[in-house]
Amino acid sequence: MSLPRKSTRNGTRGYAHLVEIDVPVARVWRALTDPGLIRIWSGQEAEIDPRQGGLHRIGKYNAGGREAHIDIFDVNRRLRLIYLKGGDWPPGDSALVDDFILDVRKGEGTTSLRLLGSGVPESPTWDKSYVRLRVGWERFLARIKVTLESPPVAKKPKNAPPKDPPLRGLDY
């Protein structure tokens, strides 16, 4: 679910997304902080220094990638990113923030992942970037859900020899 938000008093706008993922909170946290998993759901390279004050980068900086400072790193609960200037973002005076909040719902097996984005300048030059951020995160959160709830299954090698059928009485 995605809700665009109106302009705030300081001339910025934001977005909010919520997705329920049927896996334990530790797996959702790992999907946000493990470069290998980020590559799976984002389709882009990732570099993470997983700690408060660390770096969180998705994609190549000069090719539309995003690089952020990790402001809050509360394991299995909250990850807040403050973005450094985006490679293709228009000029602006505000800091862009993505705040991921994880919460256990319906027992230990389901996690609520909430994303609150803020600080996007309320100006026509930022309209395209705002839509790209809001819709991009909506798609990424859906991909995180699918990746975690339906992990890929290893494929059988094409040239593997056929298995002999089990012998009756010896199929153990």
Side-chain angles (χ1 to χ4, degrees):
M1 178 170 80
S2 170
L3 300 172
R5 295 193 331 204
K6 298 282 185 194
S7 176
T8 60
R9 285 184 228 148
N10 63 0
T12 63
R13 56 190 155 176
Y15 45 88
H17 299 291
L18 172 67
V19 65
E20 299 280 332
I21 306 172
D22 290 326
V23 298
V25 70
R27 287 184 63 197
V28 177
W29 178 259
R30 204 167 146 235
L32 296 173
T33 59
D34 180 288
L37 285 174
I38 291 171
R39 280 185 215 107
I40 291 170
W41 59 256
S42 74
Q44 302 177 54
E45 64 182 52
E47 181 182 345
I48 311 295
D49 179 9
R51 62 180 177 85
Q52 186 170 347
L55 169 80
H56 193 282
R57 180 184 306 140
I58 297 178
K60 293 183 180 180
Y61 184 74
N62 293 333
R66 293 181 278 204
E67 184 174 307
H69 165 81
I70 300 174
D71 182 47
I72 296 176
F73 190 85
D74 188 0
V75 176
N76 294 339
R77 296 193 32 85
R78 189 169 178 200
L79 176 68
R80 185 166 65 192
L81 306 176
I82 299 176
Y83 289 95
L84 310 175
K85 173 148 177 37
D88 61 352
W89 289 344
D93 294 332
S94 64
L96 273 66
V97 176
D98 278 332
D99 200 352
F100 298 89
I101 301 165
L102 292 83
D103 192 17
V104 176
R105 299 278 185 207
K106 303 175 193 166
E108 292 295 316
T110 300
T111 303
S112 291
L113 175 57
R114 186 175 306 120
L115 168 60
L116 304 174
S118 62
V120 181
E122 180 68 54
S123 74
T125 57
W126 272 86
D127 286 348
K128 277 182 152 177
S129 296
Y130 170 70
V131 170
R132 206 169 31 228
L133 284 166
R134 185 172 49 86
V135 173
W137 273 121
E138 184 176 31
R139 289 178 181 157
F140 278 158
L141 292 178
R143 290 179 70 176
I144 290 170
K145 178 178 176 68
V146 169
T147 299
L148 294 177
E149 290 182 352
S150 307
V153 178
K155 295 181 181 178
K156 294 180 186 178
K158 290 182 179 180
N159 297 332
K163 284 190 171 184
D164 291 330
L167 298 173
R168 290 199 327 199
L170 296 177
D171 49 342
Y172 47 90

